Amino acid sequence: MVTINSSIVKKVFKKIKEYPEIIIARHVGPDPDAIASTIALRDSIRLTFPEKEVYAVGLGVSKFKYYGILDKIDNEQYKNALLIVLDVPNLNRVDGIEGLEYKEIMKIDHHPAEDIKGPVDWTDETSCSTCQMIAELILNTPLKLDTKIASNLYLGIVSDSDRFLLSYTTNKTFQVVHDLIKASKIDFVSLYNYLYDRSIDEVRFQGYIAMNMVVTENGLGYIVIPSDIIKEYHVDLATPANLINSFNFIRDVLVWTFITEDVKNKVYKVSIRSHGPVINEAASHYHGGGHKYASGARITSLEEIDAFIKELDDLCEEYKRASISNIEL
Ligand code: AMP
């Protein structure tokens, strides 16, 4: 069994036990980790405490329907509820809580902390995913697990760690996965289709990015994707972010970014990944944030795009210079 910081897990469980009404929310534009952690926690609380009212809120995404159905609630009716926020540190990026007057907020998240802070707050930047944290919670408290809950958590962990490739995959990740599989006997190989099944349009679009990505001398890979291209390839605005990890391990590319035009919202959606330079501070200069090596941002003008690209390119240059002087020492 995974050994963890049991005092915070106990506090989280105590809060869950205390409230008859619980609303669980996650970030806008959800990925598998956000969706799976929300639904898995809801289902585990319902299974353990059938008398409680527990809802997972936020806009549903049809391609993630395998994980389960999200709930529609009347936000004005839950003034005494506990709001549990998963996988997001900033209140303005929480989906589905407009007008909700909850009694208390509790965050469980693996991003660097920002403005959400309740009396009980569990932030673990060393965790590969929020699903890893929810699995730790369930495996170390009386919260119940079934095959579906375990499958959801497994998919969230595999997806957010990019199949255990990213640096925040740790021995604890493998231990949690081991315990999940042992406790629930999930047939994990059969689950991969839910993460990796994709259309030929998306594969062709990946080819478009590969053919058009610019790589600078300092090791920045970048591409600005106009909305026409999104239409032409029959993909959607979430597709570039879904594909960005496929551009890992390109020799001499230290940082790579996809900048996608969103005409409807008059904004460019930005995904950034890094092999070395820390990028979340640069992202924060452009209405963004995230992890040290995996961030996102929102850019509003072409001038800002130029400045953003220059900032990332400078980061690469600095990083290379520092690496060379370390070798020389
Ligand atoms: P993405 O490239 O969309 O997969 O996002 C990578 C990481 O950055 C995720 O952990 C997101 O939660 C975070 N992120 C993306 N967009 C933003 C934003 N506008 N503000 C803060 N964090 C973001």
Side-chain angles (χ1 to χ4, degrees):
M1 179 69 69
V2 188
T3 44
I4 53 159
N5 178 352
S6 60
S7 102
I8 185 67
V9 166
K10 274 189 199 142
K11 282 184 194 157
V12 168
F13 180 70
K14 210 167 143 216
K15 275 284 164 235
I16 290 172
K17 221 171 141 192
E18 189 182 317
Y19 277 85
E21 292 170 347
I22 299 173
I23 316 290
I24 308 171
R26 40 70 189 168
H27 59 80
V28 289
D31 50 19
D33 186 35
I35 290 273
S37 57
T38 312
I39 292 178
L41 181 60
R42 176 197 66 187
D43 293 352
S44 174
I45 300 174
R46 281 183 181 169
L47 195 62
T48 318
F49 302 105
E51 69 288 358
K52 288 188 192 289
E53 274 192 65
V54 195
Y55 302 107
V57 300
L59 260 191
V61 180
S62 62
K63 71 176 172 199
F64 295 146
K65 63 176 184 292
Y66 163 77
Y67 297 93
I69 304 293
L70 291 158
D71 302 299
K72 297 250 171 302
I73 61 165
D74 177 355
N75 280 357
E76 285 173 16
Q77 276 193 6
Y78 293 94
K79 292 192 169 62
N80 293 317
L82 169 68
L83 172 63
I84 305 180
V85 173
L86 301 183
D87 201 37
V88 55
N90 19 28
L91 206 51
N92 66 353
R93 296 189 69 239
V94 181
D95 192 18
I97 59 161
E98 306 72 31
L100 184 72
E101 287 180 42
Y102 48 88
K103 186 150 179 212
E104 205 176 330
I105 190 165
M106 176 168 77
K107 182 187 65 182
I108 304 174
D109 186 23
H110 70 133
H111 294 89
E114 292 204 22
D115 62 345
I116 302 177
K117 187 125 175 93
V120 174
D121 180 274
W122 184 18
T123 297
D124 182 0
E125 279 186 59
T126 68
S127 184
C128 79
S129 57
T130 302
C131 278
Q132 179 179 314
M133 298 171 76
I134 300 302
E136 285 175 49
L137 175 71
I138 295 174
L139 290 164
N140 289 279
T141 63
L143 283 173
K144 291 184 181 164
L145 187 74
D146 65 14
T147 310
K148 179 65 183 162
I149 294 167
S151 303
N152 279 350
L153 292 171
Y154 181 79
L155 286 174
I157 291 169
V158 172
S159 167
D160 237 40
S161 67
D162 194 17
R163 294 175 244 188
F164 310 110
L165 286 174
L166 300 182
S167 58
Y168 47 38
T169 305
T170 60
N171 58 338
K172 196 197 262 184
T173 310
F174 287 108
Q175 236 181 317
V176 167
V177 165
H178 165 271
D179 291 350
L180 267 183
I181 293 172
K182 197 167 165 207
S184 64
K185 308 212 166 17
I186 51 175
D187 174 9
F188 58 90
V189 174
S190 71
L191 296 174
Y192 292 130
N193 224 21
Y194 296 110
L195 285 180
Y196 300 118
D197 173 70
R198 58 204 192 126
S199 67
I200 188 66
D201 286 329
E202 191 173 308
V203 177
R204 292 198 168 117
F205 179 64
Q206 184 173 335
Y208 170 86
I209 296 176
M211 294 301 290
N212 292 282
M213 188 164 89
V214 177
V215 178
T216 69
E217 263 183 36
N218 293 321
L220 172 69
Y222 70 90
I223 181 166
V224 181
I225 305 167
S227 61
D228 295 354
I229 293 292
I230 296 286
K231 266 195 218 130
E232 190 182 319
Y233 281 83
H234 311 289
V235 291
D236 61 41
L237 288 168
T239 311
N242 294 340
L243 288 175
I244 194 157
N245 287 340
S246 313
F247 288 76
N248 211 338
F249 303 116
I250 301 177
R251 195 176 312 137
D252 300 329
V253 172
L254 280 172
V255 171
W256 64 110
T257 182
F258 299 167
I259 304 162
T260 310
E261 187 184 20
D262 174 356
V263 177
K264 197 168 132 214
N265 295 305
K266 298 197 176 81
V267 84
Y268 288 85
K269 293 178 69 172
V270 179
S271 280
I272 324 159
R273 298 292 184 270
S274 170
H275 271 308
V278 171
I279 49 176
N280 54 356
E281 201 193 319
S284 75
H285 301 154
Y286 299 88
H287 316 282
H291 304 281
K292 280 186 190 165
Y293 307 114
S295 299
R298 295 279 177 277
I299 291 183
T300 45
S301 71
L302 288 172
E303 296 74 49
E304 253 194 340
I305 292 181
D306 291 342
F308 169 71
I309 289 171
K310 174 151 188 344
E311 189 165 345
L312 290 187
D313 198 47
D314 289 348
L315 276 183
C316 292
E317 191 187 6
E318 259 169 54
Y319 183 85
K320 268 188 158 174
R321 211 180 313 119
S323 310
I324 291 168
S325 49
N326 276 345
I327 291 168
E328 283 169 353
L329 279 177

